[in-house]
Amino acid sequence: MSMDDNVNSSQNRRITWEGCSVLLDINDGDRLVFSRLTAGAIVKIGNKNYPLQPLIGCPFGSVFQVENGINGPCLSRAVQANNTEDKKECTLKDESRDNRALIDNNTAQTLTGDDIEGLRRQGASGNEIVEALIANSATFENKTSFSQEKYRLKKQKKYDPKVILRRPFARSICDTYFKKYPARIGFLRVDTLSLLLSFGNVMAQSDVLVVDMIGGLLTGAVAERLGGTGYVCNTYLGDSPHSTEIVRIFNFNDEINRRIVRLPLVELSAPEDVDSKEQSVLQAANSVDNPSDQSDPASMEETIVSKVHKAAKPGEKAPEDAIKLWRENGFSSLIIAAPDVDAWSIVKEVLPSLSFSAPFVIYHQYLQVLLVILNSLLFILEYS
């Protein structure tokens, strides 16, 4: 099987491949990192760099632990032991204990920093260091089971961090951006994103018109729900399409990428007999200033970008037959997320591109902006 077949095969979407985007969950959500798996990709944990090569070909959801290998620091697949029964027994045994007699004066731990470095030089694993810290703690046995578990987790995060290999999809991408870079997605929460898709009636075979000025998160979420059917068309005023860098984090196959298209609004609303020169004049006349796009985490140092195969790119020009159909029948729904511009100036331009009785949804982080749009729409309905 060729690499192209492997990447675009639906039966392998649960397994990572070289060049795919992943979400690295370090220490159970303490740190979230988008990265692209390549032979030379690395992730920095603490003060050490760990190659991501071992993660290629592993199922999403796999857990990795840090180790000191022969060639330096490395990530190895962790075996999760089921110790639920042991925890229950420990809880029942220690339920009468409390921490009132314990004094936190930093003298309970007899293992020094030099001792820990010595263990590392001898090749001790992170888990072995944690067990050594527990064994050399004068107060560990007198703590309640809850405090013991809290102490163990604290030491594990420092000396034995775990990395969970997560698959990027609409929810995980939205949650990560909202936690790390909320301004870049217009402070859009995942529950609000779900409402946009629901109120927009996004379903199979839909042709959804979007104004996505939040980095491509909305475009990717719509395309994910369409699943390779229908179209998601990104429209824009002026001659510069908005950035949709986040779309590539979704790991869409060629079939879905071909369904993600773009089309300037002036061309969408122009009569069929308008030639390309006249369209350019109209486009320049209707151009508006677009805010400069901020750099995306997917293109930062933590993200390694590499092309391993020639695939269909999302955001290509919409096909002529689809444009003709949209001009005649309109789109099945409209979703707008444009937090940095005058939303009403966009709404009044794109609404005529909808089919009759088609739903439309407008997102903005401030209620006042939405009230202005609502009052304007009510005014038009009243005097039309």
Side-chain angles (χ1 to χ4, degrees):
M1 179 180 290
S2 66
M3 183 172 293
D4 289 357
D5 294 334
N6 181 52
V7 170
N8 293 299
S9 175
S10 59
Q11 65 182 3
N12 292 324
R13 306 308 288 183
R14 297 178 182 272
I15 306 294
T16 62
W17 62 92
E18 186 172 1
C20 76
S21 296
V22 296
L23 176 59
L24 304 179
D25 184 343
I26 303 173
N27 281 334
D28 196 22
D30 281 0
R31 184 175 168 221
L32 299 170
V33 179
F34 286 116
S35 189
R36 189 172 292 271
L37 296 186
T38 62
I42 60 173
V43 61
K44 189 172 183 179
I45 303 176
N47 57 356
K48 296 182 180 180
N49 294 325
Y50 295 86
L52 297 181
Q53 175 72 26
L55 278 63
I56 300 176
C58 296
F60 285 108
S62 301
V63 181
F64 293 82
Q65 61 187 15
V66 300
E67 288 186 354
N68 293 319
I70 299 177
N71 299 321
C74 63
L75 295 173
S76 64
R77 191 87 172 267
V79 179
Q80 299 296 304
N82 187 6
N83 56 357
T84 305
E85 296 298 328
D86 295 339
K87 289 182 180 180
K88 288 182 179 180
E89 182 180 352
C90 182
T91 301
L92 293 175
K93 186 184 300 183
D94 299 338
E95 62 181 0
S96 61
R97 295 182 179 180
D98 57 54
N99 300 328
R100 287 178 294 180
L102 301 181
I103 300 175
D104 187 9
N105 54 9
N106 295 326
T107 60
Q109 181 57 248
T110 59
L111 203 64
T112 64
D114 293 336
D115 296 333
I116 295 175
E117 288 300 322
L119 291 174
R120 284 175 171 170
R121 286 193 295 269
Q122 295 173 13
S125 65
N127 186 60
E128 290 173 342
I129 294 177
V130 172
E131 293 300 326
L133 288 169
I134 292 175
N136 287 273
S137 174
T139 58
F140 183 82
E141 292 298 330
N142 297 325
K143 294 182 178 181
T144 64
S145 58
F146 176 82
S147 297
Q148 288 179 348
E149 187 65 18
K150 183 178 178 181
Y151 179 87
R152 183 185 295 273
L153 289 175
K154 180 180 178 181
K155 298 305 179 183
Q156 282 180 344
K157 288 182 177 182
K158 184 175 182 179
Y159 298 103
D160 189 27
K162 296 292 190 297
V163 178
I164 303 178
L165 182 61
R166 299 198 182 278
R167 181 174 68 89
F169 59 103
R171 177 169 184 169
S172 61
I173 294 174
C174 185
D175 280 338
T176 302
Y177 267 82
F178 187 79
K179 182 177 181 179
K180 299 182 66 177
Y181 314 98
R184 298 181 187 178
I185 59 170
F187 298 89
L188 178 66
R189 300 195 313 263
V190 67
D191 57 328
T192 307
L193 177 61
S194 301
L195 289 175
L196 294 179
L197 300 178
S198 178
F199 291 157
N201 198 27
V202 179
M203 58 184 180
Q205 304 298 336
S206 298
D207 288 341
V208 184
L209 181 64
V210 300
V211 180
D212 185 348
M213 297 181 66
I214 54 175
L217 175 61
L218 177 60
T219 303
V222 173
E224 183 181 82
R225 178 167 289 199
L226 292 179
T229 66
Y231 281 98
V232 49
C233 180
N234 228 311
T235 190
Y236 51 94
L237 293 170
D239 56 357
S240 299
H242 309 300
S243 172
T244 56
E245 284 295 317
I246 297 179
V247 171
R248 64 189 179 89
I249 303 179
F250 282 80
N251 292 323
F252 289 140
N253 56 29
D254 289 351
E255 182 181 3
I256 297 179
N257 281 334
R258 293 190 190 98
R259 298 291 176 166
I260 303 174
V261 297
R262 60 176 174 82
L263 189 67
L265 182 61
V266 64
E267 186 173 342
L268 179 63
S269 57
E272 292 188 32
D273 57 349
V274 176
D275 59 23
S276 58
K277 184 176 180 180
E278 290 174 330
Q279 287 180 4
S280 299
V281 174
L282 288 173
Q283 189 170 347
N286 288 277
S287 63
V288 295
D289 294 331
N290 293 321
S292 59
D293 296 316
Q294 292 177 307
S295 60
D296 192 275
S299 61
M300 296 177 66
E301 293 182 358
E302 293 174 333
T303 304
I304 307 299
V305 181
S306 174
K307 295 182 180 179
V308 296
H309 75 291
K310 190 175 182 180
K313 294 182 179 180
E316 296 293 332
K317 178 73 176 296
E320 291 299 327
D321 55 344
I323 298 175
K324 181 179 179 180
L325 183 65
W326 295 333
R327 285 173 177 169
E328 294 175 353
N329 302 326
F331 288 87
S332 55
S333 62
L334 165 68
I335 306 178
I336 298 175
D340 296 327
V341 298
D342 179 19
W344 172 241
S345 65
I346 296 178
V347 172
K348 63 183 180 181
E349 295 290 340
V350 297
L351 280 181
S353 300
L354 288 178
S355 61
F356 294 117
S357 301
F360 63 92
V361 195
I362 305 167
Y363 167 76
H364 201 280
Q365 67 183 101
Y366 299 120
L367 181 60
Q368 182 62 34
V369 177
L370 299 176
L371 288 176
V372 171
I373 297 174
L374 177 61
N375 290 333
S376 300
L377 291 173
L378 292 175
F379 179 82
I380 293 175
L381 289 174
E382 184 177 353
Y383 291 98
S384 59

